[in-house]
Amino acid sequence: MIEKNEILTQYLRNFAELTDKDIAESLPLWKPRKITKGDFFNMQSMVCNDLGLVVKGIFRIYYRDPNSDEEKNLFFFSENQFVVSFRSFISQNPCWYFIEAMEDSEVIFISYQDLNGLYETNPNWGKFGRLLAETFFAYAQSRTEEFMFFSNEKRFQRLLEEHPNIVERIPAYHISSFLGITNPSLSRIRKRLKDSQV
């Protein structure tokens, strides 16, 4: 519990410049949770009621086409990032996606109800909410713009900047799905980048 509080305090202080008093007020509301590889933080068609901070592990947000059963990876979240289906969380409507642990993972989470209670009673937590919304808006817009303006290779490089060890941590076909390319195309990109560093 002490370690959980230390991790959370440091992250919240850096993310939103919350005071020690602000953070102390929230600590009892955050709960630790372990999620086994292959299990879910949230399921498609269910309301996402929790905002999680990834302490350990990596998650994918993906959509499963009900007609073809094809899965399409949309986002990855790893250590020191918030994981949530943000639209579902703020609207309290069912989520369109699955959020799956790709490794044995640990998160610290707060419920929608508890977080909104903080927003209503503390202006500094209101600022946290604004920054959280801006962060997830930036994720969504960057994802759209990368498909419009960037080559497959550049998108792969951006992914590595965001999650440096992702290639060693998850199967290549998940990365191919995220990039919207085939496995052979991903192999060629990785080889080109490796050769250019020699």
Side-chain angles (χ1 to χ4, degrees):
M1 184 64 77
I2 292 173
E3 184 183 353
K4 178 208 87 167
N5 287 351
E6 287 175 355
I7 291 168
L8 191 58
T9 296
Q10 182 177 346
Y11 187 82
L12 292 174
R13 196 182 285 139
N14 291 338
F15 181 77
E17 297 180 0
L18 293 163
T19 67
D20 288 344
K21 182 174 178 294
D22 299 329
I23 295 168
E25 178 185 351
S26 79
L27 288 179
L29 306 176
W30 295 85
K31 311 295 182 191
R33 179 179 168 195
K34 293 186 177 181
I35 304 175
T36 306
K37 179 180 178 179
D39 284 348
F40 296 91
F41 180 78
N42 201 72
M43 301 277 285
Q44 189 171 327
S45 302
M46 292 179 63
V47 173
C48 187
N49 280 311
D50 300 319
L51 170 72
L53 174 65
V54 182
V55 176
K56 174 189 170 191
I58 189 164
F59 292 82
R60 67 174 178 136
I61 290 189
Y62 71 94
Y63 170 75
R64 179 181 291 150
D65 188 315
N67 298 316
S68 67
D69 261 357
E70 182 184 2
E71 296 177 359
K72 297 179 181 176
N73 291 331
L74 304 173
F75 295 98
F76 296 112
F77 294 102
S78 56
E79 288 84 1
N80 297 313
Q81 290 185 311
F82 287 114
V83 60
V84 68
S85 173
F86 195 66
R87 183 200 58 81
S88 174
F89 184 75
I90 60 173
S91 69
Q92 290 294 280
N93 288 319
C95 180
W96 294 344
Y97 314 115
F98 292 93
I99 305 179
E100 180 187 15
M102 309 199 71
E103 302 173 339
D104 290 344
S105 301
E106 297 176 17
V107 300
I108 307 168
F109 71 92
I110 188 169
S111 72
Y112 171 84
Q113 183 177 350
D114 285 340
L115 186 57
N116 271 273
L118 291 172
Y119 292 166
E120 290 169 9
T121 58
N122 185 321
N124 288 343
W125 276 100
K127 178 184 177 185
F128 169 91
R130 191 195 81 225
L131 291 171
L132 187 69
E134 289 173 357
T135 297
F136 277 88
F137 175 79
Y139 285 153
Q141 186 159 357
S142 294
R143 181 86 168 116
T144 301
E145 289 173 348
E146 284 173 8
F147 271 98
M148 290 175 65
F149 303 125
F150 291 172
S151 66
N152 296 335
E153 190 167 308
K154 180 63 176 173
R155 289 205 310 279
F156 178 61
Q157 288 175 310
R158 287 286 294 267
L159 177 64
L160 294 181
E161 290 167 12
E162 186 82 9
H163 308 280
N165 302 315
I166 197 167
V167 172
E168 289 80 34
R169 296 173 70 177
I170 68 171
Y173 67 86
H174 283 303
I175 295 172
S176 300
S177 170
F178 174 81
L179 296 173
I181 61 176
T182 63
N183 276 352
S185 295
L186 177 60
S187 296
R188 287 192 291 272
I189 288 170
R190 290 178 65 183
K191 184 177 186 305
R192 277 199 305 273
L193 290 174
K194 188 176 179 183
D195 291 345
S196 68
Q197 292 168 357
V198 174

